[in-house]
């Protein structure tokens, strides 16, 4: 009886070991697959580099010209009347200019305060100057209520003498 019982325990133990450890070799092969996936995922990271080089774009050409908008035709018509009919001969234009215009244009016309145009490099005609002084433009106030037509023509002519 003693011999049989020893053989029986060995048999039972061997059956128990086979039943439990039978699956262990299969589990060891499965974790190899995720390591292959990590290698594949690292590839798209390298593709981001050429995208950064394409960001540089050609800058649009700067077309900023200092030319001001043309004087409206109805203002130019009035200015033509002033130029042909007004008499600026008896007026101290320099005194008027100093009184009314130096605040923005300066004594020599090149101050450009409050965005005023540089009169020393101005290329506009006398009629356009008269129109701008009479009606004003942008930040320049109109002078049709402050100065007579004779005085406006006088300062317009004086502003032309400031040109280099
Ligand atoms: C409040 C500031 C100011 C005062 C005062 C002023 N101006 Fe002007 N002037 C300007 C500005 C601003 C411009 C430009 C207007 C624009 O083109 O938008 C200008 C433009 C001009 C121009 C046109 C120049 C060009 O080439 O286009 C003439 C001429 C001129 N002024 C003459 C005068 C005279 C003469 C007086 C005095 C009677 C005078 N200004 C007083 C601000 C002023």
């Amino acid at each position: 009886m003693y011999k049989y019982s020893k053989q029986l325990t060995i048999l039972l133990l061997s059956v128990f070991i086979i039943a439990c450890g039978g699956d262990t070799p299969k589990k060891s092969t499965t974790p190899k697959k995720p390591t292959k996936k990590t290698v594949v995922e690292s590839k798209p990271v390298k593709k981001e580099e050429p995208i950064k080089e394409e960001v540089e774009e050609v800058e649009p050409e700067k077309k900023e010209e200092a030319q001001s908008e043309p004087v409206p035709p109805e203002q130019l018509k009035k200015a033509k009347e002033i130029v042909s009919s007004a008499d600026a001969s008896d007026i101290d234009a320099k005194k008027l200019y100093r009184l009314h215009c130096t605040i923005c244009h300066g004594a020599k016309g090149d101050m450009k305060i409050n965005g005023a145009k540089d009169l020393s490099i101005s290329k506009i005609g006398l009629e356009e100057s008269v129109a701008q002084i009479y009606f004003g433009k942008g930040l320049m106030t109109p002078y049709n209520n402050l100065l007579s037509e004779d005085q406006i023509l006088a300062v317009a002519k004086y502003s032309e003498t400031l040109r280099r």
Side-chain angles (χ1 to χ4, degrees), residues 69-83 126-138 140 142 144 152:
E69 286 173 43
V71 179
E74 67 272 14
Q75 291 189 9
L76 210 61
K77 195 187 169 189
K78 177 67 185 170
K80 276 178 184 172
E81 283 174 32
I82 295 165
V83 170
L126 182 63
E127 286 166 3
E128 286 169 299
S129 291
V130 167
Q132 195 146 324
I133 297 158
Y134 189 91
F135 294 102
K137 190 183 181 186
M140 182 166 157
N144 52 7
I152 286 168

Side-chain angles (χ1 to χ4, degrees), residues 71 87 107 111:
V71 179
D87 181 19
M111 286 261 282

